Amino acid sequence: MAQCASSAADGRLLWRCRRGMKELDVLLERYVQSHFAAASPQQRLALGQLLELPDPLLADYLFGHATPPEPALAQLAGLIATAPQVCNLRPHNVIDCLNFPKGSGSIQVAARRPPSSQE
């Protein structure tokens, strides 16, 4: 994510995208990789406001269980939630990628089975 940062403020904002919930990390990384470089100053401000929220509330907004009351935050939450899927964001043992279908409000996990010792 850091390679997209054009200023120290952007770098701090991108660092704040690293959350305590893996699902939020994936959604925020998708947004950063696909939209952050072209984001307007207003969108960057809205992102900063979203990142101030506690993880459970942010997850509700990004998974479509609730809508932020501020229109700019609601628009950005929708954009983040529908950012293109990016697989293998980081090396994983089990999870290759998370897929959040638009409007489903549910999480689908594409996982590999560990090799069986019987094989």
Side-chain angles (χ1 to χ4, degrees), residues 41-66:
Q42 293 81 11
Q43 287 175 320
R44 290 171 191 236
L45 178 63
L47 179 61
Q49 292 171 337
L50 277 177
L51 295 174
E52 291 174 7
L53 300 172
D55 283 355
L57 183 57
L58 181 58
D60 282 347
Y61 290 162
L62 298 185
F63 300 151
H65 300 295

Side-chain angles (χ1 to χ4, degrees), residues 6 8 15 18 21 24 26 39 45 47 52 60 64 67-68 73-75 84 86 93-94 101 109 113-114 116-118:
S6 60
W15 178 255
R18 298 171 191 235
M21 292 177 60
L24 291 178
V26 171
L45 178 63
L47 179 61
E52 291 174 7
D60 282 347
T67 302
L73 297 184
Q75 181 181 12
V86 178
N93 289 338
V94 177
V109 179
R113 291 181 178 229
S116 171
S117 59
Q118 298 173 351

